Amino acid sequence: MKDYLQKAYCMNQTVRIYAAITTDLVKHAQELFNLWPTSCAALGRTLTMAAIMSCTYKSGEYLNIKFNCDGPIGGITVEATDGKVRGFVNNPGIYLSYNNGKLNVKDAVGNGFIEVVKDLHMRSPFSSSCEIVSGEIAEDFAYYFAKSEQIPSSVGLGVLFDKSGKVTAAGGFLIQVMPGVTEETITKLENKLKSLKPCSTMIEQGYTATDIINEITDGDFELLQTKELSYFCNCSKERFERGLKSLGKDEIQDILNKDKKAEITCNFCNKKYTFNEKDLQDILNQLSK
């Protein structure tokens, strides 16, 4: 089955859980940008969380997440809507690890802030931010939900690699408690999470999203939704043409005089768009009208 997410209520509908399998879309991102493992782990975890978050909103609503950080990764940018995600890291060539071989995403990300912008089709987009508390991504999102959205949450995110550095499994979960939850339920969840295998390990072992939810809840859940997830970029030559027009006549003329063409690469999918001399002259003519 392709990448997907499942949503469930559990424990008398006082807890909601989202579990996602994102192996294919993280593999696709790694191939697009030739990502080294630590860069890929950081981006893959963020892509997974963005995919999950996008499924908590209404259809057509849009999400932008940025890790503005000072680590060697240089920053992470991800966009998502309706389970479709795209993103990039500023430095794709980072491979940091601890002595035990575990990837050191924390130091790759470093310190800084998470900025989340949501376009909910209201008068203006909603923006919120919070500091990066660990750089491990999952802990940072759990802190974001608690501080910026006032929703106590537990987040699990993971990307697993083979010996050659290629992605073999990726996914994650989001657990959020709802009004009426009891201390007994919270304690039960906390104890369960302490013994839970990493989500990427479970996925590599063949666990489905339902299996992950079952593992967390001991079978006490009601499945509500299954939604396909994918890596999707909606860039086009027309979009970049509008960007070129925004530079103004003088800048376009300068490009014509010096280079005779313009080549633009999409940050989100690495696709290149070339505007030849005729294309640029047409843009200039349109701006001169």
Side-chain angles (χ1 to χ4, degrees), residues 133-170:
V133 293
S134 78
E136 290 285 353
I137 310 296
E139 294 170 13
D140 297 310
F141 276 113
Y143 182 73
Y144 164 80
F145 284 115
K147 183 173 181 180
S148 297
E149 300 194 4
Q150 288 77 53
I151 304 174
S153 306
S154 179
V155 178
L157 300 168
V159 181
L160 209 59
F161 300 85
D162 62 19
K163 292 181 180 180
S164 68
K166 300 298 182 182
V167 173
T168 59

Side-chain angles (χ1 to χ4, degrees), residues 154-211:
S154 179
V155 178
L157 300 168
V159 181
L160 209 59
F161 300 85
D162 62 19
K163 292 181 180 180
S164 68
K166 300 298 182 182
V167 173
T168 59
F173 61 79
L174 169 64
I175 305 171
Q176 296 185 317
V177 299
M178 302 169 69
V181 69
T182 65
E183 287 298 325
E184 180 183 359
T185 294
I186 293 174
T187 299
K188 182 179 178 180
L189 277 172
E190 289 175 343
N191 290 335
K192 191 66 181 179
L193 291 173
K194 288 176 184 177
S195 61
L196 195 70
K197 299 175 187 176
C199 56
S200 55
T201 299
M202 288 189 283
I203 292 166
E204 189 182 49
Q205 292 175 350
Y207 282 56
T208 64
T210 303
D211 292 333

Side-chain angles (χ1 to χ4, degrees), residues 5 48-57 63 65 116 118 141 144-145 149 174:
L5 167 145
T48 299
M49 191 70 251
I52 293 172
M53 290 175 68
S54 76
C55 294
T56 68
Y57 306 139
L63 174 71
I65 299 171
V116 178
K118 306 174 202 172
F141 276 113
Y144 164 80
F145 284 115
E149 300 194 4
L174 169 64

Side-chain angles (χ1 to χ4, degrees), residues 4 45 60 82 87 127 133 141 196 237 253 261 274 281:
Y4 67 101
R45 294 176 189 180
D82 292 331
S127 178
V133 293
F141 276 113
L196 195 70
K237 190 168 184 177
Q253 186 64 62
K261 67 176 183 178
T274 300
Q281 188 61 60

Side-chain angles (χ1 to χ4, degrees), residues 28-36 43 87-89 92-93 231 266-270:
H28 185 64
Q30 184 178 41
E31 292 167 0
L32 280 177
F33 303 109
N34 191 26
L35 295 168
W36 291 21
L43 179 60
F88 63 92
V89 292
Y231 193 103
C266 177
N267 285 334
F268 291 100
C269 69
N270 242 3

Side-chain angles (χ1 to χ4, degrees), residues 4-8 17-20 208-211 213 223 225-227:
Y4 67 101
L5 167 145
Q6 290 189 317
K7 174 185 177 181
I17 300 179
Y18 300 85
T208 64
T210 303
D211 292 333
I213 294 171
L223 198 61
Q225 179 189 27
T226 299
K227 188 173 182 65

